[in-house]
Short mmCIF file of all heavy atoms in Angstrom, two decimals:
data_model
loop_
_atom_site.label_atom_id
_atom_site.label_comp_id
_atom_site.label_asym_id
_atom_site.label_seq_id
_atom_site.Cartn_x
_atom_site.Cartn_y
_atom_site.Cartn_z
N MET D 17 135.92 52.41 30.24
CA MET D 17 136.73 51.81 31.26
C MET D 17 137.51 50.67 30.63
O MET D 17 136.94 49.73 30.11
CB MET D 17 135.85 51.29 32.39
CG MET D 17 136.66 50.53 33.41
SD MET D 17 135.64 49.68 34.62
CE MET D 17 134.94 51.03 35.48
N ALA D 18 138.82 50.68 30.62
CA ALA D 18 139.64 49.66 30.01
C ALA D 18 139.95 48.57 31.03
O ALA D 18 140.15 48.84 32.19
CB ALA D 18 140.95 50.28 29.50
N SER D 19 140.01 47.33 30.57
CA SER D 19 140.31 46.22 31.47
C SER D 19 141.78 45.85 31.39
O SER D 19 142.47 46.16 30.42
CB SER D 19 139.45 45.02 31.11
OG SER D 19 139.91 44.46 29.90
N THR D 20 142.26 45.15 32.39
CA THR D 20 143.63 44.67 32.41
C THR D 20 143.84 43.66 31.30
O THR D 20 144.88 43.65 30.65
CB THR D 20 143.93 44.02 33.77
OG1 THR D 20 143.53 44.91 34.79
CG2 THR D 20 145.40 43.71 33.91
N HIS D 21 142.84 42.80 31.05
CA HIS D 21 142.96 41.80 29.99
C HIS D 21 143.15 42.46 28.64
O HIS D 21 143.96 42.01 27.85
CB HIS D 21 141.71 40.91 29.94
CG HIS D 21 141.48 40.15 31.20
ND1 HIS D 21 142.34 39.18 31.65
CD2 HIS D 21 140.49 40.22 32.11
CE1 HIS D 21 141.89 38.69 32.77
NE2 HIS D 21 140.76 39.30 33.08
N GLY D 22 142.39 43.50 28.36
CA GLY D 22 142.48 44.19 27.07
C GLY D 22 143.85 44.79 26.85
O GLY D 22 144.40 44.71 25.76
N LYS D 23 144.44 45.38 27.89
CA LYS D 23 145.76 45.98 27.77
C LYS D 23 146.81 44.92 27.44
O LYS D 23 147.67 45.13 26.61
CB LYS D 23 146.12 46.72 29.05
CG LYS D 23 145.33 47.99 29.24
CD LYS D 23 145.75 48.67 30.54
CE LYS D 23 145.09 49.97 30.82
NZ LYS D 23 143.77 50.23 30.47
N ALA D 24 146.71 43.75 28.07
CA ALA D 24 147.66 42.66 27.79
C ALA D 24 147.47 42.13 26.38
O ALA D 24 148.44 41.85 25.68
CB ALA D 24 147.48 41.55 28.81
N LEU D 25 146.22 42.03 25.93
CA LEU D 25 145.95 41.50 24.59
C LEU D 25 146.38 42.47 23.49
O LEU D 25 146.74 42.06 22.40
CB LEU D 25 144.46 41.17 24.44
CG LEU D 25 144.00 40.01 25.32
CD1 LEU D 25 142.50 39.89 25.26
CD2 LEU D 25 144.65 38.72 24.87
N ARG D 26 146.31 43.79 23.76
CA ARG D 26 146.74 44.79 22.78
C ARG D 26 148.19 44.57 22.36
O ARG D 26 148.56 44.86 21.24
CB ARG D 26 146.56 46.20 23.34
CG ARG D 26 145.30 46.84 22.93
CD ARG D 26 145.27 48.30 23.33
NE ARG D 26 145.46 48.51 24.75
CZ ARG D 26 144.59 48.18 25.70
NH1 ARG D 26 143.47 47.61 25.37
NH2 ARG D 26 144.84 48.40 26.96
N GLN D 27 149.00 44.06 23.27
CA GLN D 27 150.41 43.86 22.97
C GLN D 27 150.59 42.75 21.93
O GLN D 27 151.62 42.66 21.29
CB GLN D 27 151.17 43.53 24.24
CG GLN D 27 151.16 44.68 25.22
CD GLN D 27 151.75 44.31 26.57
OE1 GLN D 27 152.25 43.23 26.75
NE2 GLN D 27 151.68 45.23 27.51
N LEU D 28 149.59 41.88 21.75
CA LEU D 28 149.67 40.77 20.81
C LEU D 28 149.25 41.15 19.40
O LEU D 28 149.44 40.38 18.47
CB LEU D 28 148.77 39.63 21.30
CG LEU D 28 149.10 39.06 22.66
CD1 LEU D 28 148.04 38.03 23.05
CD2 LEU D 28 150.47 38.43 22.67
N ALA D 29 148.62 42.30 19.23
CA ALA D 29 148.01 42.66 17.95
C ALA D 29 148.96 43.44 17.05
O ALA D 29 149.95 43.99 17.50
CB ALA D 29 146.74 43.45 18.22
N ALA D 30 148.61 43.51 15.73
CA ALA D 30 149.42 44.23 14.73
C ALA D 30 148.94 45.65 14.52
O ALA D 30 148.11 46.12 15.28
CB ALA D 30 149.38 43.45 13.43
N THR D 31 149.41 46.37 13.46
CA THR D 31 149.04 47.76 13.22
C THR D 31 147.80 47.90 12.36
O THR D 31 147.40 46.98 11.69
CB THR D 31 150.21 48.51 12.53
OG1 THR D 31 150.44 47.87 11.30
CG2 THR D 31 151.44 48.54 13.40
N GLY D 32 147.17 49.11 12.35
CA GLY D 32 145.93 49.29 11.60
C GLY D 32 145.47 50.70 11.36
O GLY D 32 146.24 51.62 11.41
N GLY D 33 144.12 50.93 11.05
CA GLY D 33 143.54 52.22 10.68
C GLY D 33 142.14 52.56 11.16
O GLY D 33 142.00 53.07 12.22
N LEU D 34 141.00 52.29 10.45
CA LEU D 34 139.63 52.76 10.76
C LEU D 34 138.65 51.64 11.08
O LEU D 34 138.97 50.50 10.99
CB LEU D 34 139.08 53.50 9.56
CG LEU D 34 139.12 54.99 9.49
CD1 LEU D 34 137.95 55.47 8.67
CD2 LEU D 34 139.32 55.79 10.66
N ALA D 35 137.41 51.97 11.42
CA ALA D 35 136.39 50.98 11.80
C ALA D 35 135.13 51.10 10.94
O ALA D 35 134.96 52.05 10.21
CB ALA D 35 136.04 51.17 13.26
N LEU D 36 134.23 50.13 11.08
CA LEU D 36 132.95 50.12 10.38
C LEU D 36 131.86 50.75 11.23
O LEU D 36 132.05 51.06 12.38
CB LEU D 36 132.58 48.68 10.03
CG LEU D 36 133.55 47.96 9.09
CD1 LEU D 36 133.13 46.51 8.92
CD2 LEU D 36 133.60 48.64 7.75
N ALA D 37 130.65 50.88 10.68
CA ALA D 37 129.54 51.55 11.38
C ALA D 37 128.75 50.60 12.27
O ALA D 37 129.07 49.46 12.42
CB ALA D 37 128.63 52.17 10.34
N PHE D 38 127.64 51.12 12.84
CA PHE D 38 126.81 50.47 13.85
C PHE D 38 125.75 49.56 13.23
O PHE D 38 125.24 49.83 12.17
CB PHE D 38 126.15 51.56 14.69
CG PHE D 38 125.18 51.05 15.69
CD1 PHE D 38 125.65 50.49 16.85
CD2 PHE D 38 123.83 51.14 15.48
CE1 PHE D 38 124.77 50.02 17.79
CE2 PHE D 38 122.94 50.67 16.41
CZ PHE D 38 123.42 50.10 17.57
N ALA D 39 125.40 48.47 13.91
CA ALA D 39 124.33 47.57 13.47
C ALA D 39 123.36 47.33 14.63
O ALA D 39 123.68 47.59 15.77
CB ALA D 39 124.91 46.26 12.98
N ALA D 40 122.18 46.82 14.34
CA ALA D 40 121.13 46.61 15.34
C ALA D 40 121.48 45.49 16.31
O ALA D 40 122.20 44.57 15.96
CB ALA D 40 119.82 46.29 14.64
N PRO D 41 120.96 45.56 17.54
CA PRO D 41 121.24 44.51 18.52
C PRO D 41 120.49 43.21 18.21
O PRO D 41 119.47 43.22 17.54
CB PRO D 41 120.75 45.10 19.84
CG PRO D 41 119.76 46.13 19.45
CD PRO D 41 120.18 46.63 18.10
N THR D 42 121.03 42.11 18.72
CA THR D 42 120.38 40.82 18.63
C THR D 42 119.56 40.63 19.90
O THR D 42 120.04 40.91 20.98
CB THR D 42 121.43 39.70 18.52
OG1 THR D 42 122.20 39.92 17.35
CG2 THR D 42 120.80 38.34 18.49
N LEU D 43 118.32 40.14 19.78
CA LEU D 43 117.45 39.93 20.93
C LEU D 43 116.99 38.48 20.95
O LEU D 43 116.56 37.95 19.94
CB LEU D 43 116.23 40.85 20.86
CG LEU D 43 115.16 40.65 21.93
CD1 LEU D 43 115.72 41.03 23.30
CD2 LEU D 43 113.94 41.48 21.62
N VAL D 44 117.11 37.85 22.13
CA VAL D 44 116.63 36.49 22.31
C VAL D 44 115.60 36.50 23.42
O VAL D 44 115.86 36.99 24.51
CB VAL D 44 117.79 35.53 22.70
CG1 VAL D 44 117.27 34.15 23.00
CG2 VAL D 44 118.82 35.48 21.59
N LEU D 45 114.39 36.00 23.14
CA LEU D 45 113.33 35.95 24.14
C LEU D 45 113.31 34.57 24.77
O LEU D 45 113.44 33.57 24.08
CB LEU D 45 111.97 36.25 23.51
CG LEU D 45 111.83 37.65 22.92
CD1 LEU D 45 110.48 37.80 22.26
CD2 LEU D 45 112.03 38.71 23.99
N ALA D 46 113.13 34.53 26.09
CA ALA D 46 113.04 33.27 26.82
C ALA D 46 111.74 33.24 27.59
O ALA D 46 111.48 34.11 28.40
CB ALA D 46 114.22 33.16 27.77
N ALA D 47 110.90 32.23 27.34
CA ALA D 47 109.61 32.14 28.01
C ALA D 47 109.58 30.92 28.93
O ALA D 47 109.04 29.89 28.61
CB ALA D 47 108.48 32.05 26.99
N SER D 48 110.24 31.03 30.07
CA SER D 48 110.22 29.99 31.09
C SER D 48 109.53 30.56 32.32
O SER D 48 109.31 31.76 32.41
CB SER D 48 111.64 29.54 31.41
OG SER D 48 112.32 30.56 32.11
N PRO D 49 109.18 29.73 33.30
CA PRO D 49 108.51 30.25 34.49
C PRO D 49 109.29 31.36 35.20
O PRO D 49 108.71 32.27 35.76
CB PRO D 49 108.37 29.01 35.38
CG PRO D 49 108.42 27.86 34.45
CD PRO D 49 109.30 28.28 33.31
N ALA D 50 110.62 31.29 35.19
CA ALA D 50 111.43 32.31 35.86
C ALA D 50 111.44 33.63 35.08
O ALA D 50 111.74 34.68 35.63
CB ALA D 50 112.85 31.82 36.03
N HIS D 51 111.14 33.55 33.79
CA HIS D 51 111.10 34.73 32.94
C HIS D 51 109.65 35.10 32.69
O HIS D 51 108.75 34.39 33.07
CB HIS D 51 111.81 34.46 31.61
CG HIS D 51 113.21 34.01 31.75
ND1 HIS D 51 114.21 34.84 32.18
CD2 HIS D 51 113.80 32.81 31.53
CE1 HIS D 51 115.35 34.17 32.21
NE2 HIS D 51 115.14 32.95 31.82
N GLY D 52 109.41 36.18 32.04
CA GLY D 52 108.06 36.52 31.60
C GLY D 52 107.92 36.17 30.13
O GLY D 52 108.91 35.85 29.48
N ALA D 53 106.72 36.24 29.59
CA ALA D 53 106.51 35.94 28.18
C ALA D 53 107.32 36.86 27.27
O ALA D 53 107.78 36.45 26.22
CB ALA D 53 105.03 36.03 27.83
N GLY D 54 107.53 38.12 27.67
CA GLY D 54 108.30 39.06 26.85
C GLY D 54 109.71 39.26 27.36
O GLY D 54 110.39 40.18 26.95
N CYS D 55 110.17 38.41 28.25
CA CYS D 55 111.51 38.54 28.85
C CYS D 55 112.57 38.06 27.87
O CYS D 55 112.41 37.01 27.24
CB CYS D 55 111.56 37.71 30.13
SG CYS D 55 113.16 37.74 30.96
N GLY D 56 113.64 38.83 27.71
CA GLY D 56 114.70 38.43 26.82
C GLY D 56 116.01 39.12 27.12
O GLY D 56 116.06 40.09 27.87
N VAL D 57 117.08 38.58 26.56
CA VAL D 57 118.39 39.21 26.66
C VAL D 57 118.77 39.74 25.28
O VAL D 57 118.28 39.25 24.26
CB VAL D 57 119.46 38.23 27.20
CG1 VAL D 57 119.14 37.80 28.62
CG2 VAL D 57 119.63 37.03 26.30
N TRP D 58 119.64 40.73 25.25
CA TRP D 58 120.03 41.34 23.99
C TRP D 58 121.51 41.74 24.03
O TRP D 58 122.10 41.86 25.10
CB TRP D 58 119.15 42.56 23.68
CG TRP D 58 119.04 43.53 24.82
CD1 TRP D 58 118.14 43.48 25.84
CD2 TRP D 58 119.86 44.66 25.06
NE1 TRP D 58 118.36 44.53 26.71
CE2 TRP D 58 119.40 45.28 26.25
CE3 TRP D 58 120.93 45.24 24.39
CZ2 TRP D 58 120.00 46.42 26.79
CZ3 TRP D 58 121.51 46.38 24.92
CH2 TRP D 58 121.04 46.96 26.10
N ALA D 59 122.07 41.92 22.83
CA ALA D 59 123.48 42.29 22.68
C ALA D 59 123.63 43.20 21.47
O ALA D 59 123.28 42.80 20.36
CB ALA D 59 124.34 41.05 22.52
N GLU D 60 124.12 44.41 21.68
CA GLU D 60 124.37 45.34 20.57
C GLU D 60 125.67 44.97 19.86
O GLU D 60 126.58 44.41 20.46
CB GLU D 60 124.53 46.78 21.09
CG GLU D 60 123.31 47.37 21.69
CD GLU D 60 123.57 48.76 22.25
OE1 GLU D 60 124.74 49.16 22.44
OE2 GLU D 60 122.59 49.44 22.51
N THR D 61 125.74 45.32 18.58
CA THR D 61 127.01 45.20 17.85
C THR D 61 127.93 46.32 18.33
O THR D 61 127.51 47.47 18.41
CB THR D 61 126.78 45.31 16.34
OG1 THR D 61 125.92 44.24 15.93
CG2 THR D 61 128.09 45.23 15.57
N PRO D 62 129.19 46.01 18.69
CA PRO D 62 130.10 47.04 19.19
C PRO D 62 130.31 48.19 18.21
O PRO D 62 130.21 48.02 17.00
CB PRO D 62 131.41 46.28 19.41
CG PRO D 62 130.98 44.87 19.59
CD PRO D 62 129.79 44.69 18.69
N VAL D 63 130.60 49.35 18.78
CA VAL D 63 130.87 50.58 18.03
C VAL D 63 132.29 51.03 18.38
O VAL D 63 132.70 50.94 19.53
CB VAL D 63 129.85 51.68 18.41
CG1 VAL D 63 130.21 53.00 17.75
CG2 VAL D 63 128.45 51.25 18.04
#
């Protein structure tokens, strides 16, 4: 699903070719009363 912001930003960019491969996600654990001991957020490297 493409966003309106991305379409506008594409007009600002130059020309190009290929991409790199996939990497593991980053995981951050948060142990506060609102979270659980194993509760965390994560972010994958884009593909």
